[in-house]
Amino acid sequence: MTPLGRILAAQIAAEGPMRLDRYMGACLLHPEHGYYATRDPFGGKGDFITAPEISQMFGEMLGLCLAQAWLDQGRPAPFLLAEAGPGRGTLMADMLRAMRSVPGMVEAAQVHLIEASPTLREIQRARLEGHAVTWHDSIDTLPEAPLFFVANEFLDALPIRQFQRVEKGWAERQVGLAPDGSLAPGLAPPVRLEALEPRIMDTKPGDGVETCAPARSFTETLAARIAAQGGAALLIDYGNWHSLGDTFQALKAHQPVDPFEAPGEADLTAHVDFEPLALAARAAGAQVSAMTAQGVLLERLGITARAQMLAQSLDGAALEAHIAAHRRLTHPEEMGHLFQSLAIVAPGAALPPGFDPARP
């Protein structure tokens, strides 16, 4: 058992089974043994590769998307250019490079990163050398100003709760101890849950539903800021609309593993349910786009034309890798459909390019 596993096992032995969201939070963010606190998980030598690490085109497209939103809103200056879960800083670096083509934009931008990991903060500092960067532990400490914001593969790592439908209620998934002392999932006794009453109508016994209060709260705070101060937010993640089923997973060395086997040593995520996020943003007073597949968004933003331009200076293995990267980002059988996006702007503002209005 890992050091964190022993800590959690002792806590469960003393206090009883642990809710899944608390287990997930401890595995990812424990200050001494948490996954993000102890390593750089990105890239070929890590456990997974995100879109910005696949190709510079991803960050360039999103940077130009936010640039057009900035222009549409009258070039506010100064403004906050912020990212949650910035990884190695690759996405922000690529966005800033693309934004240099828009006169005055980079000069007006104040870069803010929401990052809890000291290890990743140092990597971001090196990647963004030459830019003045302010780091935050949460969105709550961002200063007041028009906010142009991006979060790519951030929401999927926020802790979830899971509930299994029974005949007259819901049984919550918990983490307990197996007879041999190892960590193992189980179900709490069934209860009626007012918050999940609407889901009784579209589920049957045995179905699972996931909720993520931190993602909903985060989106509500983000949307309220944009509604009051202006700006635009782009949320990109693998996910769906209207949660159904078990999407909790663990990755280690690019392979799926048992999420309860080695706490603190694997990345834990779950698919993002965009429906409650859109509802939270609207309730906060913001305007929300329709959910848009990543591949559709990138194509609308011009990624194929950019790919063709970059290809002109490539040949051999470099050209093959470039073509593969474009396919991986956009093709429906790869990241193009698995990943979805949502845009948030103030009421009355133009949606960022590439997004359709939400249905009434």
Side-chain angles (χ1 to χ4, degrees), residues 340-357:
Q340 301 288 332
S341 62
L342 201 70
I344 300 171
V345 294
L351 287 171
F355 289 93
D356 294 323

Side-chain angles (χ1 to χ4, degrees), residues 230-242:
L234 309 179
L235 307 180
I236 305 102
D237 229 307
Y238 54 91
N240 48 51
W241 190 271
H242 204 62

Side-chain angles (χ1 to χ4, degrees), residues 18-163:
M18 176 182 294
R19 273 181 10 194
L20 185 63
D21 58 337
R22 293 173 182 167
Y23 172 78
M24 188 174 175
C27 288
L28 296 178
L29 295 175
H30 186 280
E32 185 177 356
H33 303 296
Y35 179 77
Y36 284 113
T38 56
R39 72 199 68 216
D40 170 11
F42 302 96
K45 296 182 179 179
D47 294 318
F48 57 88
I49 298 177
T50 60
E53 305 292 338
I54 292 171
S55 171
Q56 70 185 62
M57 297 183 292
F58 182 80
E60 292 171 347
M61 294 300 104
L62 296 190
L64 293 176
C65 180
L66 285 180
Q68 186 60 55
W70 180 72
L71 293 172
D72 290 341
Q73 294 186 33
R75 304 171 182 255
F79 72 93
L80 307 185
L81 179 61
E83 181 181 359
R88 290 175 168 173
T90 304
L91 175 56
M92 181 59 71
D94 290 342
M95 290 199 305
L96 285 165
R97 187 179 62 255
M99 288 173 177
R100 290 197 179 280
S101 64
V102 181
M105 186 173 187
V106 171
E107 292 75 12
Q110 298 176 352
V111 179
H112 292 257
L113 301 179
I114 300 170
E115 177 59 70
S117 166
T119 300
L120 291 177
R121 283 191 182 192
E122 289 308 308
I123 295 171
Q124 294 154 14
R125 192 187 310 277
R127 180 63 57 89
L128 295 169
E129 187 178 4
H131 295 281
V133 179
T134 303
W135 279 268
H136 302 263
D137 290 327
S138 78
I139 192 173
D140 299 317
T141 56
L142 288 176
E144 293 188 1
L147 174 61
F148 291 80
F149 181 94
V150 65
N152 177 66
E153 290 201 57
F154 168 74
L155 297 170
D156 64 270
L158 297 181
I160 63 162
R161 296 173 71 180
Q162 287 186 327
F163 301 89

Side-chain angles (χ1 to χ4, degrees), residues 214-239:
R216 191 170 61 249
S217 176
F218 179 91
T219 306
E220 184 177 19
T221 300
L222 172 64
R225 285 177 171 266
I226 289 175
Q229 301 164 20
L234 309 179
L235 307 180
I236 305 102
D237 229 307
Y238 54 91

